[in-house]
């Protein structure tokens, strides 16, 4: 990342709109966009493909040097690949979602992917990048000039996710989302804003209003930084 590059960190719980809102905001600003959850999902997908037990953290950590991960940071050309395989859609399958938290809880795995994220951020071609996940505001980029906690009530997040997954039972979708947040919360805190992190609560906002709210925070925080 060059010195003049603008760096925006966004965290939040499952279904809060981190990916879709960050991508839309990046498109509006001409920024790059980095989805960090995709790395944990792609690793979980690879572990399943190789038939490794997802709970065997030592074996997964030992195999990390062979995991060839690639992600597109252009918001108009988003893709996720492992080696030659495009896994953009496969990593969203329920079989991956149901095991991703157990892979993401391992500290050595988190260190490995955090180093990857920082490399990707440093080499991003645009003058700004929005990075979203669970620990971006606190661990990956605690010094980012713009840090946002994007949230919405659990009820609204579940309703939005159920609308997306029309073929799945609403109660099961809600149950999975709640369980994943509970498991992930044991590893990093993305339910409360750390010092200096601005909360955007989209519970009563439309999609476009939420993008505007995020863009407002970016504008305010970057002009504050620019004016000392
Ligand atoms: N303010 C909003 N109003 C209406 N729908 C929204 C709003 N924000 C997000 N959505 C919708 O909610 C759904 C979940 O959003 P998204 O997938 O971006 O969440 P996420 O935080 O990235 O979730 P996960 O962590 O599970 O990947 C999407 O269908 C998105 O279009
Ligand atoms: N910074 C992050 C980002 C994600 N995770 C883990 O990955 C899972 C999938 O993330 P999505 O954003 O795609 O839903 C998530 O449930 C976490 O287990 C993480 O630990 N840290």
């Amino acid at each position: 990342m060059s010195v003049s590059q603008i760096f925006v960190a966004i965290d939040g719980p499952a279904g809060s709109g981190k990916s879709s809102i960050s991508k839309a905001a990046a498109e509006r600003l001409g920024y790059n966009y980095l989805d960090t959850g995709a790395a944990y999902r792609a690793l979980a997908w690879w572990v399943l493909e190789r038939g490794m037990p997802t709970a065997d953290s030592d074996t997964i950590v030992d195999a990390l040097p062979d995991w060839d991960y690639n992600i597109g940071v252009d918001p108009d050309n988003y893709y996720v690949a492992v080696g030659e395989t495009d896994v953009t859609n496969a990593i969203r399958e329920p079989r991956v979602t149901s095991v991703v938290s157990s892979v993401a809880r391992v500290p050595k795995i988190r260190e490995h992917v955090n180093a990857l994220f920082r490399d990707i951020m440093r080499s991003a071609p645009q003058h700004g990048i929005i990075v979203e996940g669970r620990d971006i505001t606190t661990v990956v980029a605690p010094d980012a000039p713009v840090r946002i906690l994007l949230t919405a009530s659990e009820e609204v997040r579940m309703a939005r996710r159920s609308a997306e997954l029309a073929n799945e039972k609403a109660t099961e979708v809600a149950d999975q989302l709640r369980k994943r947040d509970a498991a992930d919360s044991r590893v990093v805190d993305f339910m409360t804003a750390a010092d200096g992190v601005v909360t955007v609560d989209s519970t009563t906002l439309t999609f476009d209003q939420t993008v505007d709210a995020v863009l407002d925070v970016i504008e305010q925080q970057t002009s504050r930084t620019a004016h000392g």
Side-chain angles (χ1 to χ4, degrees), residues 2 30 43 47 64 66 68 71 73 76 82 94 101 115-116 119 129 131 133 166 184 190 196 206 225-226:
S2 73
L43 180 58
V47 164
L64 278 174
D66 297 333
D68 178 16
I71 186 165
V73 292
D76 294 323
V82 177
S101 298
L116 274 181
D119 280 349
I129 181 165
V131 185
D184 292 338
F190 48 82
T206 65
T225 308

Side-chain angles (χ1 to χ4, degrees), residues 1 3-12 21-22 25-26 29 31-32 34 121 127-133 135-150 193-200 210-226:
M1 190 171 59
V3 177
S4 58
Q5 209 171 4
I6 296 163
F7 192 19
V8 179
I10 300 187
D11 286 328
I21 299 289
S22 300
L29 293 167
Y31 282 12
N32 288 127
L34 177 60
M121 283 151 48
H127 69 286
I129 181 165
I130 302 182
V131 185
E132 56 89 2
D135 60 347
I136 313 305
T137 62
T138 52
V139 177
V140 177
D143 298 328
V146 187
R147 294 182 301 147
I148 297 172
L149 182 76
L150 181 59
D195 272 357
V197 175
V198 179
T199 299
V200 172
T210 310
V211 175
D212 286 341
V214 165
L215 292 174
D216 283 349
V217 176
I218 296 173
E219 165 70 27
Q220 282 161 19
Q221 302 285 302
T222 49
S223 60
R224 182 178 300 174
T225 308

Side-chain angles (χ1 to χ4, degrees), residues 75-149:
D76 294 323
N77 185 23
Y78 174 83
Y79 67 86
V80 183
V82 177
E84 297 294 305
T85 311
D86 186 314
V87 295
T88 312
N89 297 322
I91 61 170
R92 308 283 155 197
E93 287 171 10
R95 73 187 182 103
V96 174
T97 305
S98 65
V99 299
V100 66
S101 298
S102 76
V103 171
R105 78 184 160 76
V106 181
K108 282 187 178 155
I109 290 177
R110 300 194 73 82
E111 282 165 28
H112 184 90
V113 297
N114 286 347
L116 274 181
F117 298 151
R118 294 186 186 114
D119 280 349
I120 294 169
M121 283 151 48
R122 270 192 291 272
S123 56
Q126 295 302 327
H127 69 286
I129 181 165
I130 302 182
V131 185
E132 56 89 2
R134 302 288 189 295
D135 60 347
I136 313 305
T137 62
T138 52
V139 177
V140 177
D143 298 328
V146 187
R147 294 182 301 147
I148 297 172
L149 182 76

